[in-house]
Amino acid sequence: VNQATMYKVTVALLAIAAAAAALHIPNENVHHGNYQNTKTGGQDVAQKQKYILQLLKNVSQKNMYPELVSLGQAWNPEQMINQYANPIVVKKFVSMYKQGILPQGEIFHVYNDSHLKEAVALFDMLYFAKDFETFVQTAAWARDHVNEGQFVYALYVATIHRDDCQGVVLPPLYEVYPQFYVHATDLADFYSAKMHHVNKYFKMTNWTQVVTHPEQLVGYFTEDAGLNAYYAYAHLYMPFWMNCEKYGITSCQMRGEEFYYFHQQLLAHYNLHRMANYLPEQDDFDWEQPIEYAYNPDLMYHTGDYFPARPAGQSLSSIKSYTVEDIKAIEYRIKEAIDSGFVYGKDGNKISITSYIKGINILGNIIEGNQDSVNNRYYGAYTSMLRNLFALIMDPSSEHSVAPGVMAHYETALRDPAFYYYTSYITGFFKQYKDNLPYYRPEELDFNGVAVKDVAVSKLVTYFDLFDIDVTNAVDFASLDEMEQYEYVAKAMRLNHQPFSYKVKVASNKQTSAVVRVFLGPNTDYIFSNFYGDQASDVYYGHHTADLERLREYFVELDRFPVQLKSGDNLIERESRQFTATVGDSASFKSLLKSAESGHVYSSNVDYHCGFPDRLVLPIGHKAGVPYTLFVMVTPYEASPEVHANTLYSCNGLMTALDNRPLGFPFDRKIDNFDRFYSPNMYFKNVAIFHKDFSDAHAYNQIVFNKNVNNFDHVFQTGHKFTPSHKLIDEDIYQQDDEVHSFM
C-alpha cells in the first residue's frame, strides 16, 4: 500500500472517530468482562480456546495451523473408536462418510434432511468424545474432511454442550461467516482490495443503501448483525433436533413454552419498531394468498452463489420432500388439538393439554417439531417444514440449482420481512390456545398487602453508532503468514441507546419475597390516534380510551428479577445494563484469538452471545419523543419445582428468573376489562423515547451518506423515497402528551 493511500485511510478514519465523538455519548452499554489466566480440570482454558478459535479461522479454506493440521492427519475416528463414550455414533458417522456426505464447497442448511443428519452425526462424535484431547483431534480431522458449514455448526453446538468446554468463549458468528451478515456489494470491495494487495481496508456498510420500500425503514433492526447472531446462537443452544434424554439434559420442562415466548417477544420487538416508523401491522398469513413482501437480501454464500431475491406476489409451493397439503394436514391436527384440549401420544392415547404448564409445553414441542414432541410421527416437524417452503420458494423443485433463501439459515432469517409474517402465524397457534384459557382472576393478579406507589425513569434516548465487524475470514489467503498481515473491517451503523435507569417505590405491610416484572409497550392513545383512529372501548386506561387487549401482545419484557421486600416503603433501583434479558457486545474474534495465543482467556459470568442485544432493548425514538408505556408489576415469589423449574436450558436470561407464573404474565391471556385486570401491585408509567441524530453533530453527511471511508470506493448517492421516522418532527406529538412535552 503506498503512503498516500494509507494517509487517506487514516484521515478518513479519524474523521469518522471525530464525528462519533461529537455526539458526547460514551459507548458504555457493554457488559464488561476481563482477561485472566484460568485453568479448569487441569487443562488450560486458554489452550482450549486457542484450538477452537484456530479451527474456526477461515473455514472456507483448508486449515493452515500446523499443530492442528498434524493432529487431524494423525487421527482416524474409526481406529480410535474406544476413545468415544458411545461407539455407535462413530460407526454411524463413518458409514455415512464412506457412502458419501455433502462435499466441501457446497451450501449446507439445517432444513435439508440429509445435510442435518450428517451434521448431527458429526456432532455426536464430538459430543461423545471421552476427553478434550479426543474432542479436539476429532475436530481437527473433521476440519479438512467434512463440509465447512456442517463442521462449524457441529463444533459450535458441541462446544456449547460439552462440560469440559466451560469457560471457552466462542467467537461471534458474524466474524466466522461475514458473508451472512455483510452485504455482498460491500464484500466485493474487500475482495477487490485483496486482489490489489491492500492489506488494511476499512469500509462503511449500511443496513440498506436506498430506501425504496417502507419495509426497509426497519432494516436497522432486521439486518442488525448482533440480533441475527443472537437468533442463530439461540438455536445452537437448543436445536430442534436435540433430544433431552439422549444428551442427558435435565432442565427441559419448559422447552415448549420457551419456544413460544422467545418468538413472541422477538415479534413484539419488531412490531414496536414498525410502529415507531409509522408502519402498519403486517397482514395475516394466508395459504391462498401470495406473499406480498418482496425482498432482495444482497448476500452471497462463501461458494459464490447469491442468496435469491424474492419478488412481491410469490406463492409457496410444494417441494420434493413434501407437499403443501402435507403441511396443511399437520396444521389441521395441531388446531384440532387446541380446540379439543388433547393430543395423541405415540401409542394413540389421548394426552390432555388443558392444564396450562403441562399443556403449553406439550403444544410448544409439537409446533416446533422438536425431539421432545409426544408424537413426531403424527405431528411431524411443522415449523421446520413450513419454513423450508419459504427458504426454497424461488426454486421449490430444485430444478434450476437456485441457492436456498435467507429463511434457510438462522444467521440470516431475521432479515426477511416474510420471517415476521411467518412467525406471527406460528405464534397465532399459541394465542388460540391461550384464548381458550380463562381470564386471570383478581386473586391471581393481586399481591395482598403490596402496592407499587410510583415509578421514575431517566431520559430514554436512542442513537446510531459505529461498530466494527472483522470480515477477514471472508477472504482467501495463500498462507498463514499472509493471513496474519491483513486486516479487513466493515464499519456498520447500528442502533444503540444511552444507559438509563428506573426506580420503583413499593409499599409492603410485611417482609416477603417478590418478583418484579417490567414491560415496555405502546402508549395506547398514541397508537390509536396514529394507526386505528378513534375507537370506542369498554377498557379505560387512566383518562385515555384504550384497547389494552388488542395491544397486549406488543409489550416486550425488559426485566424480571427477584427481590426481598421489607415491611414499609421499599425503593428498588435498576440500571439498563442489569436487565436479565439482555447482554452487551461479545469480544471480537481477533481479540479472543490474540489473548488465547498469549495464554490468557476472556473470563466473564455472562454468555455474551446468549441474550437479546442490550442496544436494541428500546425501539427507535424520534426527535420530538415517541410516547410509550412502561408497565411494572410486583408479584409473590412462589417457585415450585413441580410447576416451573428454577432454571431452564435456554438462551434467554428471562428464563433464569422464574416463579410459578406463565411466561409473559400478565399479558399472555385475554383482558376483558381494565378495572377487573388492574390491581395495586401494578403501575402504568407514561414515558417517551427520543432520538439523537448524527446530523445534530454536523457529521451525518460524513457518516451516513458516505458509503465508505477511503478513496478505494465511490461516494454513496442516496435516493430515499421514504424518510426514516427518527428524522421526522411531528409537532402534534408535542401536544398529545403533557409528560412528553415536559421532557423537552
Side-chain angles (χ1 to χ4, degrees):
V1 183
N2 62 52
Q3 189 172 7
T5 299
M6 287 306 299
Y7 173 78
K8 291 176 181 177
V9 171
T10 303
V11 170
L13 287 175
L14 288 173
I16 285 181
L23 282 172
H24 301 294
I25 301 173
N27 189 14
E28 294 179 346
N29 70 323
V30 177
H31 303 241
H32 294 286
N34 55 76
Y35 289 93
Q36 60 183 25
N37 282 311
T38 307
K39 291 191 176 183
T40 301
Q43 174 69 46
D44 188 1
V45 176
Q47 183 73 0
K48 295 180 180 181
Q49 179 91 51
K50 184 187 77 169
Y51 282 144
I52 291 174
L53 290 169
Q54 289 178 347
L55 285 166
L56 291 168
K57 188 71 176 169
N58 287 75
V59 290
S60 59
Q61 295 184 260
K62 294 291 185 182
N63 192 4
M64 289 185 282
Y65 288 92
E67 183 181 4
L68 288 169
V69 171
S70 297
L71 286 175
Q73 291 175 344
W75 191 255
N76 185 319
E78 188 175 19
Q79 294 177 0
M80 305 299 293
I81 195 168
N82 291 331
Q83 293 300 110
Y84 299 87
N86 185 349
I88 294 175
V89 302
V90 181
K91 294 178 181 178
K92 181 178 179 180
F93 177 83
V94 170
S95 175
M96 286 183 176
Y97 183 76
K98 289 180 177 180
Q99 292 177 29
I101 61 174
L102 183 68
Q104 291 186 325
E106 297 291 330
I107 297 170
F108 158 73
H109 75 96
V110 294
Y111 298 116
N112 181 300
D113 287 343
S114 61
H115 292 187
L116 180 61
K117 287 177 182 177
E118 293 163 6
V120 172
L122 175 59
F123 162 79
D124 281 346
M125 276 212 311
L126 294 169
Y127 181 79
F128 287 108
K130 285 184 176 180
D131 49 49
F132 185 82
E133 288 73 19
T134 302
F135 166 72
V136 77
Q137 287 173 306
T138 305
W141 174 86
R143 175 68 168 76
D144 288 335
H145 289 84
V146 176
N147 175 273
E148 56 274 27
Q150 292 175 321
F151 170 77
V152 171
Y153 183 79
L155 183 63
Y156 259 83
V157 181
T159 303
I160 291 168
H161 289 272
R162 282 185 64 92
D163 290 339
D164 57 8
C165 288
Q166 288 187 12
V168 172
V169 180
L170 287 162
L173 286 164
Y174 47 77
E175 293 187 337
V176 175
Y177 266 129
Q179 298 92 333
F180 283 177
Y181 299 90
V182 178
H183 285 171
T185 48
D186 293 328
L187 284 178
D189 290 336
F190 287 102
Y191 301 146
S192 182
K194 176 63 167 60
M195 291 176 61
H196 288 79
H197 307 292
V198 179
N199 62 354
K200 290 189 183 296
Y201 184 57
F202 305 84
K203 177 180 178 58
M204 286 293 298
T205 178
N206 293 309
W207 58 84
T208 188
Q209 295 184 0
V210 179
V211 180
T212 58
H213 191 279
E215 296 295 326
Q216 293 173 320
L217 292 172
V218 291
Y220 63 86
F221 178 83
T222 60
E223 297 187 12
D224 184 272
L227 180 66
N228 279 270
Y230 162 58
Y231 184 68
Y233 196 80
H235 164 73
L236 298 171
Y237 209 83
M238 181 55 82
F240 58 83
W241 50 263
M242 182 166 279
N243 183 290
C244 290
E245 182 179 357
K246 175 181 177 180
Y247 298 107
I249 302 172
T250 59
S251 52
C252 295
Q253 299 94 325
M254 293 174 58
R255 184 176 186 176
E257 186 182 19
E258 197 276 335
F259 169 78
Y260 148 70
Y261 196 55
F262 177 85
H263 287 89
Q264 189 275 329
Q265 285 289 283
L266 183 62
L267 188 63
H269 276 284
Y270 170 73
N271 281 319
L272 287 184
H273 284 279
R274 288 184 67 89
M275 291 177 179
N277 283 277
Y278 302 105
L279 293 175
E281 297 167 305
Q282 287 186 314
D283 292 334
D284 293 334
F285 172 76
D286 187 335
W287 281 105
E288 307 306 319
Q289 297 296 323
I291 300 170
E292 65 173 291
Y293 308 105
Y295 182 61
N296 181 9
D298 187 24
L299 294 176
M300 184 173 65
Y301 286 99
H302 68 287
T303 60
D305 299 285
Y306 280 89
F307 281 75
R310 183 189 62 249
Q314 196 75 14
S315 297
L316 296 178
S317 303
S318 300
I319 61 176
K320 282 187 174 181
S321 304
Y322 44 83
T323 68
V324 168
E325 295 306 316
D326 292 334
I327 302 179
K328 286 183 178 180
I330 296 174
E331 185 176 296
Y332 173 79
R333 294 167 187 170
I334 293 172
K335 290 181 177 179
E336 185 180 45
I338 294 171
D339 290 337
S340 66
F342 65 85
V343 299
Y344 289 103
K346 292 178 181 178
D347 58 358
N349 61 313
K350 293 181 179 180
I351 303 173
S352 174
I353 58 172
T354 55
S355 172
Y356 175 75
I357 295 299
K358 180 181 178 182
I360 191 71
N361 283 290
I362 291 174
L363 182 65
N365 289 337
I366 284 174
I367 292 174
E368 184 184 17
N370 62 49
Q371 288 301 302
D372 289 332
S373 169
V374 296
N375 194 341
N376 283 111
R377 186 182 63 82
Y378 186 67
Y379 294 105
Y382 175 75
T383 300
S384 299
M385 292 170 69
L386 177 56
R387 185 157 162 173
N388 206 19
L389 294 192
F390 281 90
L392 304 179
I393 192 171
M394 298 310 299
D395 188 15
S397 61
S398 302
E399 294 178 354
H400 307 291
S401 300
V402 176
V406 293
M407 290 280 280
H409 305 277
Y410 285 87
E411 297 91 339
T412 58
L414 270 59
R415 305 171 75 92
D416 190 344
F419 170 83
Y420 305 94
Y421 180 63
Y422 148 90
T423 301
S424 179
Y425 190 64
I426 296 296
T427 57
F429 294 127
F430 294 96
K431 186 176 186 300
Q432 180 185 347
Y433 171 76
K434 285 174 171 283
D435 284 350
N436 289 336
L437 300 174
Y439 302 113
Y440 283 119
R441 301 186 305 274
E443 58 268 26
E444 294 177 296
L445 297 167
D446 191 23
F447 191 173
N448 187 34
V450 174
V452 179
K453 294 297 186 181
D454 197 8
V455 173
V457 185
S458 63
K459 192 170 184 178
L460 307 176
V461 180
T462 62
Y463 63 95
F464 285 105
D465 67 3
L466 288 171
F467 180 68
D468 289 352
I469 300 175
D470 188 335
V471 300
T472 313
N473 282 340
V475 181
D476 288 345
F477 298 99
S479 67
L480 186 61
D481 289 339
E482 183 191 27
M483 180 173 65
E484 291 176 345
Q485 294 173 14
Y486 279 75
E487 182 181 7
Y488 286 169
V489 176
K491 304 188 81 65
M493 296 288 291
R494 62 180 195 172
L495 185 66
N496 209 331
H497 65 80
Q498 289 181 341
F500 64 93
S501 61
Y502 64 86
K503 298 179 181 180
V504 182
K505 184 178 180 181
V506 181
S508 176
N509 64 3
K510 58 195 170 188
Q511 181 176 329
T512 185
S513 298
V515 173
V516 179
R517 286 171 165 80
V518 180
F519 289 80
L520 180 72
N523 178 289
T524 50
D525 183 56
Y526 170 75
I527 291 299
F528 276 93
S529 64
N530 279 278
F531 293 96
Y532 306 127
D534 295 330
Q535 295 188 10
S537 173
D538 64 341
V539 181
Y540 290 92
Y541 166 53
H543 60 279
H544 300 300
T545 299
D547 192 347
L548 190 59
E549 160 59 25
R550 179 166 183 173
L551 297 177
R552 62 184 171 86
E553 62 190 69
Y554 298 130
F555 277 77
V556 296
E557 191 168 7
L558 302 182
D559 205 5
R560 187 194 316 139
F561 57 96
V563 293
Q564 192 69 28
L565 298 178
K566 64 181 181 180
S567 180
D569 289 337
N570 297 262
L571 184 62
I572 301 168
E573 301 183 53
R574 192 85 162 169
E575 295 184 358
S576 56
R577 282 173 288 179
Q578 295 177 290
F579 286 177
T580 313
T582 62
V583 296
D585 293 322
S586 58
S588 69
F589 196 128
K590 184 177 181 179
S591 64
L592 289 171
L593 182 57
K594 182 179 179 180
S595 298
E597 289 177 340
S598 63
H600 295 79
V601 66
Y602 189 76
S603 176
S604 173
N605 59 355
V606 176
D607 185 342
Y608 288 95
H609 302 298
C610 206
F612 191 83
D614 171 79
R615 300 175 294 100
L616 299 175
V617 74
L618 295 181
I620 194 169
H622 293 185
K623 289 181 179 179
V626 184
Y628 286 92
T629 298
L630 192 77
F631 172 79
V632 178
M633 185 177 188
V634 180
T635 56
Y637 180 71
E638 299 171 354
S640 171
E642 292 77 25
V643 181
H644 268 178
N646 288 325
T647 58
L648 177 69
Y649 214 69
S650 163
C651 195
N652 186 335
L654 287 172
M655 303 304 117
T656 63
L658 298 170
D659 51 17
N660 63 348
R661 290 169 179 81
L663 299 178
F665 175 87
F667 294 120
D668 63 311
R669 294 192 192 178
K670 291 192 295 185
I671 301 171
D672 65 330
N673 182 281
F674 185 80
D675 288 337
R676 289 193 290 272
F677 172 79
Y678 177 79
S679 57
N681 56 316
M682 301 177 183
Y683 199 97
F684 288 87
K685 174 73 174 179
N686 287 342
V687 297
I689 300 178
F690 300 90
H691 186 80
K692 187 171 181 64
D693 204 323
F694 270 106
S695 57
D696 295 341
H698 306 290
Y700 183 73
N701 287 335
Q702 290 178 293
I703 298 296
V704 175
F705 289 92
N706 283 348
K707 186 181 175 184
N708 46 66
V709 297
N710 49 34
N711 65 347
F712 199 73
D713 307 299
H714 305 288
V715 174
F716 167 40
Q717 299 295 329
T718 63
H720 287 172
K721 182 178 178 183
F722 300 93
T723 304
S725 65
H726 62 274
K727 299 198 173 301
L728 300 176
I729 301 181
D730 187 348
E731 297 298 334
D732 292 338
I733 298 178
Y734 285 104
Q735 302 167 11
Q736 283 182 356
D737 194 305
D738 291 337
E739 186 166 274
V740 174
H741 187 68
S742 68
F743 273 98
M744 300 303 295

